[in-house]
């Protein structure tokens, strides 16, 4: 087929698809425009508070001394926790933890002040719910750092009371100091990582399902019969022309997603927008390829297969659980999910910044190759089914 004829066929299928969207499937066109807005609005509402602070905990003070009140105040001053109740017993604390009212309880034993004043190793016990590991980790961090600072302060006072200068007392309390330098995300802003994963994951599922619907509409409405001869001669022009209108709409949705992330939510941008934009377009490309692949391979089960494919992408992308800790099969499986590579580009370019060790270009190239493979296989399958159908009509 000549190039001019291929271009003519692409334009024909492009105009034909726009006609379907504007006249026969207006609700679907409305769905394409409004769904990204709804998804982003929901996720923005969930992560409206980007930094977790003042997690509710309780305290059981069996000592009721000046020292126990002092350490209670020190713990309550931590930005991570907030003492909302003073409880009389562990039974009441257990009910509140199980009911989700509090996420931890600090027990100050009855001999706390006696052992502390006698320097006999006073102990404060923290019980916390680690089912929610992020919340549990922050509760542990807040209480531990507060108690440690309180203990160091009194140790220093005790040493200085024996005539040791402040400098030497500080050295005796901290003979080895840790110089902590947080390279990325110093304020523990969970928007940067979770929203980086959740919005693209939802965007991918939206693209896959939209493409599946657009492709299966041809068969279910039997409109494919009108163009079967052309598709048999040039399935590429059919796929290219049919997908192109959706590529334009999804590209607008991708730009809207970037606007939400980097303008509205003010996610930092260290390197620049070019690679982020390129990766977004490649992510859209491979998601469309995945939708086409699922539609032509698993026609009656396409939407169920799309859910099975897209649902675990967030878990396998290394956002909530690091890839290095995954079993080998899970690690290699994660490489077949586009979100894994797109998330690496977002984090490397936006938060960490371009560096020689970053594989941003390789990730973008991988997305392109993965999408191209999906499109190539899908076109071959469309050619096979079209040829088989035409043969059955003879």
């Amino acid at each position: 087929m000549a190039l001019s004829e291929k271009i003519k066929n692409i334009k024909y299928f492009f105009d034909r698809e726009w006609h379907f969207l504007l006249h026969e499937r207006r609700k679907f066109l409305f769905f394409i425009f409004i769904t990204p807005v709804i998804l982003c609005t929901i996720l923005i509402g969930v992560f409206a508070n980007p930094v977790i602070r003042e997690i509710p905990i309780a305290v059981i003070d069996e000592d009721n001394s000046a020292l126990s009140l002092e350490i209670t105040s020190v713990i309550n001053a931590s930005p991570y926790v907030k003492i909302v109740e003073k409880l009389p017993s562990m039974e009441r604390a257990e009910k509140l933890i199980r009911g989700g009212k509090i996420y931890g309880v600090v027990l100050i034993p009855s001999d706390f002040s006696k052992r502390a004043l006698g320097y006999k190793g006073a102990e404060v016990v923290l019980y916390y719910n680690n089912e929610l590991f992020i919340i549990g980790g922050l509760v542990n961090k807040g209480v531990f750092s507060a108690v440690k600072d309180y203990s160091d302060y009194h140790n220093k006072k005790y040493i200085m009371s024996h005539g040791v200068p402040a400098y030497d007392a500080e050295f005796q309390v901290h003979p080895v100091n840790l110089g902590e330098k947080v390279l990325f995300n110093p304020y523990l802003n969970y928007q940067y990582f979770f929203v980086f994963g959740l919005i693209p994951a939802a965007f991918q599922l939206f693209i896959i399902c939209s493409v599946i619907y657009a492709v299966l509409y041809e068969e279910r409405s039997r409109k494919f019969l009108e163009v079967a001869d052309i598709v048999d001669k040039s399935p590429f022009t059919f796929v290219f022309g049919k997908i192109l209108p959706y590529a334009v709409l999804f590209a607008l949705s991708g730009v809207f997603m970037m606007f939400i992330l980097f303008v509205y939510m003010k996610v930092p941008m260290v390197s620049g927008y070019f690679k982020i934009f390129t990766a977004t377009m490649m992510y859209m490309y491979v998601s469309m390829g995945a939708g086409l692949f699922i539609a032509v391979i698993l026609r009656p089960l396409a939407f169920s297969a799309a859910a099975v494919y897209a649902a675990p992408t967030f878990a396998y992308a290394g956002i909530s659980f690091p890839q290095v800790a995954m079993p080998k099969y899970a690690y290699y499986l994660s490489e077949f999910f586009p979100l894994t590579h797109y998330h690496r580009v977002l984090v490397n370019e936006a938060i960490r910044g371009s560096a020689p060790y970053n594989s941003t270009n390789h990730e973008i190239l991988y997305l392109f190759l993965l999408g191209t493979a999906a499109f190539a296989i899908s076109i071959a399958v469309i050619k096979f089914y079209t040829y088989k159908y035409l043969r059955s009509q003879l």
Side-chain angles (χ1 to χ4, degrees), residues 14-30 217 223 246:
F14 179 82
D15 294 339
R16 178 172 173 267
E17 199 64 28
W18 271 120
H19 176 79
F20 289 158
L21 288 171
L22 295 175
H23 297 90
E24 299 184 23
R25 289 181 287 173
R26 292 179 180 176
K27 290 183 180 179
F28 183 49
L29 181 62
F30 178 77
Y217 173 80
K223 292 183 178 295
Y246 300 100

Side-chain angles (χ1 to χ4, degrees), residues 364-380:
I364 294 174
L365 177 61
Y366 183 87
L367 289 174
F368 172 75
L369 294 176
L370 189 62
T372 301
F375 272 108
I377 296 173
S378 301
I379 290 172

Side-chain angles (χ1 to χ4, degrees), residues 23-287:
H23 297 90
E24 299 184 23
R25 289 181 287 173
R26 292 179 180 176
K27 290 183 180 179
F28 183 49
L29 181 62
F30 178 77
F31 170 82
I32 291 176
F33 275 115
I34 199 65
T35 302
V37 178
I38 295 174
L39 289 175
C40 289
T41 302
I42 293 173
L43 292 174
I44 288 171
V46 171
F47 291 93
N49 185 10
V51 180
I52 301 177
R53 293 288 187 266
E54 297 186 349
I55 302 169
I57 65 171
V59 63
I60 300 175
D61 188 357
E62 297 180 346
D63 191 51
N64 289 316
S65 64
L67 282 180
S68 65
L69 292 176
E70 185 179 3
I71 196 171
T72 300
S73 300
V74 170
I75 293 173
N76 202 34
S78 170
Y80 297 106
V81 296
K82 181 180 181 181
I83 298 176
V84 294
E85 286 198 55
K86 292 186 177 182
L87 303 176
S89 65
M90 284 299 299
E91 288 77 11
R92 175 61 178 162
E94 182 180 355
K95 290 181 181 179
L96 292 177
I97 290 177
R98 291 185 180 278
K101 303 297 183 182
I102 59 174
Y103 296 92
V105 57
V106 177
L107 172 63
I108 303 175
S110 57
D111 61 347
F112 171 76
S113 59
K114 181 180 178 180
R115 297 185 68 87
L117 293 173
Y119 290 89
K120 296 179 180 180
E123 184 180 59
V124 173
V125 184
L126 170 65
Y127 299 90
Y128 62 97
N129 181 7
N130 207 34
E131 290 176 336
L132 306 172
F133 61 92
I134 293 177
I135 297 293
L138 290 177
V139 169
N140 181 53
K141 179 179 180 179
V143 175
F144 176 81
S145 59
V147 173
K148 182 179 181 301
D149 290 343
Y150 175 83
S151 177
D152 291 345
Y153 170 74
H154 280 280
N155 277 338
K156 185 177 177 180
K157 281 182 63 178
Y158 175 77
I159 294 172
M160 290 174 63
S161 68
H162 288 71
V164 179
Y167 175 81
D168 290 338
E170 180 71 28
F171 180 76
Q172 291 184 35
V173 173
H174 301 107
V176 178
N177 287 309
L178 175 64
E180 186 179 18
K181 303 293 183 182
V182 181
L183 297 176
F184 313 111
N185 196 14
Y187 301 107
L188 295 178
N189 189 321
Y190 292 95
Q191 282 183 347
Y192 297 167
F193 289 95
F194 283 97
V195 178
F196 263 4
L198 287 172
I199 289 183
F203 184 53
Q204 180 191 26
L205 181 60
F206 161 71
I207 292 176
I208 291 175
C209 290
S210 298
V211 171
I212 290 174
Y213 177 81
V215 172
L216 295 184
Y217 173 80
E218 291 279 354
E219 292 186 3
R220 294 176 181 177
S221 62
R222 303 188 66 80
K223 292 183 178 295
F224 184 74
L225 304 179
E226 304 170 1
V227 295
D229 290 329
I230 304 176
V231 175
D232 181 54
K233 294 177 182 177
S234 181
F236 170 79
T237 59
F238 167 72
V239 171
F240 191 86
K242 184 176 184 61
I243 293 297
L244 193 56
Y246 300 100
V248 174
L249 296 175
F250 296 149
L252 294 175
S253 298
V255 172
F256 173 74
M257 180 180 69
M258 291 178 61
F259 172 82
I260 292 296
L261 289 173
F262 298 108
V263 178
Y264 182 80
M265 301 185 73
K266 295 181 173 58
V267 173
M269 172 58 70
V270 177
S271 296
Y273 291 101
F274 177 74
K275 286 188 178 180
I276 296 284
F277 177 79
T278 304
T280 302
M281 295 301 105
M282 289 300 101
Y283 183 65
M284 176 197 73
Y285 173 68
V286 71
S287 298

